[in-house]
Amino acid sequence: MSHVTLVLGGARSGKSRFAESLAPDLGAPRTYLATAEPFDEEMRQRIARHREQRAGAGWVTVEAPLDPASVIRQAAGLVLMDCVTVWLGNLMHHGRDLGAEVAQFCAALEACTAQVILVSNEVGLSIVPENAMARRFRDEQGLANQRLAAVAENVYFIAAGLPLKLK
């Protein structure tokens, strides 16, 4: 039986806040699986703000920008991964095989006994991107979300800070 919850939504939809609100009910230890890489100053500042927000909240932060499956394989208690979309972007940036990486991640989730909350962007609700790389990313993100939703026990879609339970 899966103990995975997938939280989907657009940028600034409230998905991370909603995912974090689920965490107190799911036990300890609590691991925050961060996927961002500080490629530029704005991202370094964003990462610092996120670390500061979690400080003192009982989270142990583990940074795994390319291999979150390794964290999931060793997980106990609760893991909140924020976010799948950034992880996929990292994989594309480093020229990795997204389909294989997502398959490996889903296998780790299926074998995991910890509670796992995944945060991911729904990027397919907007206009068709004008360039091939952006279209590929949109497609890969949509396929990854479908695979994760199939593994997940619970799936929520967040819009304007409001959750809609899909599964």
Side-chain angles (χ1 to χ4, degrees), residues 13-112:
S13 63
K15 62 191 176 297
S16 294
R17 183 178 52 239
F18 177 77
E20 290 174 9
S21 78
L22 297 174
D25 298 333
L26 296 177
R30 297 185 328 157
T31 301
Y32 199 100
L33 176 52
T35 60
E37 289 188 286
F39 289 119
D40 59 30
E41 184 56 32
E42 186 272 335
M43 187 55 89
R44 278 188 279 286
Q45 290 175 10
R46 187 179 291 248
I47 290 168
R49 272 194 314 275
H50 286 196
R51 285 181 185 146
E52 189 176 303
Q53 289 169 347
R54 290 189 304 273
W59 290 103
V60 173
T61 299
V62 176
E63 296 184 10
L66 294 172
D67 188 17
S70 65
V71 176
I72 297 297
R73 282 189 212 97
Q74 301 174 33
L78 167 73
V79 177
L80 190 157
M81 179 176 165
D82 199 354
C83 84
V84 171
T85 308
V86 172
W87 170 56
L88 291 178
N90 295 342
L91 294 175
M92 280 188 74
H93 177 78
H94 290 284
R96 306 275 282 268
D97 181 337
L98 276 66
E101 297 280 349
V102 171
Q104 179 183 23
F105 185 68
C106 287
L109 289 171
E110 289 173 328
C112 181

Side-chain angles (χ1 to χ4, degrees), residues 4-8 15-27 30 59 78-80 115-119 154-156 158 163 165:
V4 177
T5 297
L6 175 61
V7 179
L8 299 166
K15 62 191 176 297
S16 294
R17 183 178 52 239
F18 177 77
E20 290 174 9
S21 78
L22 297 174
D25 298 333
L26 296 177
R30 297 185 328 157
W59 290 103
L78 167 73
V79 177
L80 190 157
Q115 296 285 336
V116 179
I117 302 170
L118 305 170
V119 176
N154 300 295
V155 179
Y156 294 91
I158 311 301
K165 188 165 188 178

